[in-house]
Amino acid sequence: MSRGCNRASDGGRPTLGSVPGLGHNGGPSLEPGALWRTHAWRSAQKKLMPNTLPKLVLQMRLKRAAELGMDYKTYAKVRQTSGQDVLGLLFSSNALRLLKDPRLPEVERARLAHLKRAERLALTYPPLRPSEVARVNPEIDAADTAPVFTEGWTEMRAKLQGVMRQRGLSGASVLVIGDAPLENEWAAAGRAAAYLSAAEYFGASARRP
């Protein structure tokens, strides 16, 4: 007698309904008690799925988070959202606390100086000139003019994607860091990996007296 089939009295053939039909996935039936069986079945499936990263992968990602000046939890969330590593960080001049003086404050300068394997981009507002900001700050790889609220979505997208393309970056590999209203829209316009406020990235206590 083969397993999985009920034998009827007429010749020992399987009875109708004892064999799963086409398209059946082997899951629990909808007979009485199905709710419990469904729960048990899904619990068993969940146990078969890996819920932790291999140790080597976790170690590599912890190291990468440190290279980007981020805590692991934030880095993991950004990576999960974009589906790839962060290869560039795009800062607004507000996020870098650049107002009139083009030179980076010490906290921001030190953080950018320690970044590894990532492009450091900046978008600045007048009266700052992007060329001057890039010249006096070797910690910034490229700078351009930031979009302003009077510009439309098309112009905003063109500026953001333009500065990324100049450095050979796709939007999904760039993390946007801002510190003013409307700057959180840069991530959507540039199809970036994610947006973080300056306080989230630099830490509010380190940036404010």
Side-chain angles (χ1 to χ4, degrees):
M1 180 183 295
S2 60
R3 292 182 298 175
C5 297
N6 293 327
R7 296 293 179 178
S9 59
D10 55 343
R13 292 178 298 175
T15 60
L16 184 63
S18 63
V19 180
L22 292 176
H24 197 285
N25 62 3
S29 71
L30 297 179
E31 298 171 357
L35 185 62
W36 167 250
R37 286 193 293 274
T38 299
H39 170 73
W41 179 52
R42 289 177 177 169
S43 297
Q45 283 187 318
K46 187 174 181 180
K47 289 179 181 178
L48 294 175
M49 299 297 291
N51 55 11
T52 57
L53 291 172
K55 183 177 180 180
L56 180 59
V57 174
L58 179 59
Q59 289 175 338
M60 292 174 62
R61 292 190 179 181
L62 284 167
K63 179 181 178 182
R64 184 59 180 145
E67 290 179 342
L68 294 168
M70 301 168 64
D71 63 84
Y72 174 72
K73 184 177 180 180
T74 302
Y75 170 72
K77 184 177 180 180
V78 171
R79 186 181 177 108
Q80 183 179 31
T81 300
S82 66
Q84 64 183 81
D85 191 19
V86 176
L87 301 178
L89 292 93
L90 190 156
F91 300 88
S92 72
S93 54
N94 289 315
L96 295 173
R97 290 196 295 169
L98 295 174
L99 300 177
K100 295 181 180 180
D101 187 346
R103 294 175 179 80
L104 286 167
E106 182 56 29
V107 169
E108 288 74 9
R109 186 203 65 76
R111 179 67 70 87
L112 268 63
H114 283 88
L115 297 182
K116 297 180 180 179
R117 297 188 292 138
E119 294 287 322
R120 301 160 297 183
L121 315 176
L123 293 180
T124 68
Y125 298 97
L128 295 170
R129 291 179 297 165
S131 58
E132 181 68 4
V133 170
R135 186 186 69 81
V136 300
N137 298 297
E139 299 82 11
I140 295 176
D141 298 306
D144 207 335
T145 304
V148 295
F149 71 93
T150 55
E151 295 177 328
W153 187 263
T154 300
E155 291 82 1
M156 182 189 299
R157 181 177 58 202
K159 282 188 176 181
L160 290 160
Q161 294 183 349
V163 71
M164 295 176 190
R165 282 196 297 266
Q166 288 175 11
R167 306 302 295 187
L169 299 169
S170 67
S173 68
V174 176
L175 175 65
V176 175
I177 301 165
D179 195 38
L182 300 182
E183 290 179 357
N184 59 343
E185 295 183 3
W186 290 7
R191 297 183 179 179
Y195 172 86
L196 290 181
S197 69
E200 289 175 303
Y201 182 76
F202 291 106
S205 61
R207 290 167 50 83
R208 301 290 181 260

